[in-house]
Amino acid sequence: MKLVSKGDIAMKFMGAVVAFFVTEFMFHMMDAFAAGLKADTPIERIGAVLCGITVLAILMAVFRKFFSRSFYNGFVVAVGLFLSFDIAVFHWVFQLHRITNGPEANWLEPVFVVSGIVFVAHGVKKDRALKNTGERSDVSLPL
């Protein structure tokens, strides 16, 4: 059994904190523009959200194919926590921003919160199943 040093734990914690702040500050800028484009109509705003969902689906497929099941399940849980926690806390409680600047956010955000809860439950359930069957691997990167 390999012992984990305090330095390893500190680096993992620091990485999580840095990732949180980079995500919040870089991806939640109110006046962010993609290649000079701005979504003005409801269809354009929903299209922008669908573009993000497509990128997420591609990343999930890549992670499922090339990384360990444990890593993939952790990614699913992280996506679920981000969807549900970010929307509930930053969008609803603090009212800092919305998914879109239009009325479609009123139905998109609850759908994402419920989806996030489903992602968390699914990822935890699958990871527990891996742990119970002994298939879990500590290696997260393919060689």
Side-chain angles (χ1 to χ4, degrees):
M1 183 168 124
K2 183 180 176 184
L3 296 176
V4 179
S5 71
K6 290 181 182 178
D8 290 341
I9 294 170
M11 290 302 289
K12 288 178 184 179
F13 178 74
M14 187 171 61
V17 170
V18 168
F20 172 79
F21 283 111
V22 167
T23 301
E24 281 302 312
F25 292 127
M26 298 303 289
F27 295 121
H28 282 101
M29 293 192 287
M30 291 303 290
D31 295 322
F33 296 99
L37 301 174
K38 184 170 179 169
D40 292 320
T41 67
I43 297 297
E44 290 172 344
R45 291 189 296 263
I46 291 171
V49 171
L50 289 175
C51 180
I53 291 170
T54 302
V55 170
L56 176 63
I58 290 169
L59 284 174
M60 290 180 79
V62 167
F63 289 168
R64 184 172 181 132
K65 180 164 178 61
F66 294 109
F67 292 89
S68 71
R69 291 291 175 238
S70 187
F71 178 88
Y72 173 74
N73 292 333
F75 181 75
V76 170
V77 170
V79 167
L81 284 173
F82 184 77
L83 284 174
S84 55
F85 179 81
D86 177 69
I87 291 172
V89 173
F90 296 109
H91 298 203
W92 296 347
V93 174
F94 295 116
Q95 299 179 359
L96 293 177
H97 58 275
R98 303 291 305 266
I99 285 181
T100 68
N101 292 330
E104 62 277 351
N106 293 334
W107 60 269
L108 276 173
E109 287 182 348
V111 167
F112 284 165
V113 169
V114 170
S115 300
I117 293 169
V118 169
F119 273 64
V120 170
H122 177 75
V124 169
K125 179 181 173 187
K126 290 294 187 178
D127 200 53
R128 283 188 179 164
L130 284 176
K131 183 179 178 183
N132 291 338
T133 60
E135 296 178 29
R136 191 171 181 174
S137 171
D138 291 334
V139 179
S140 60
L141 296 175
L143 300 175

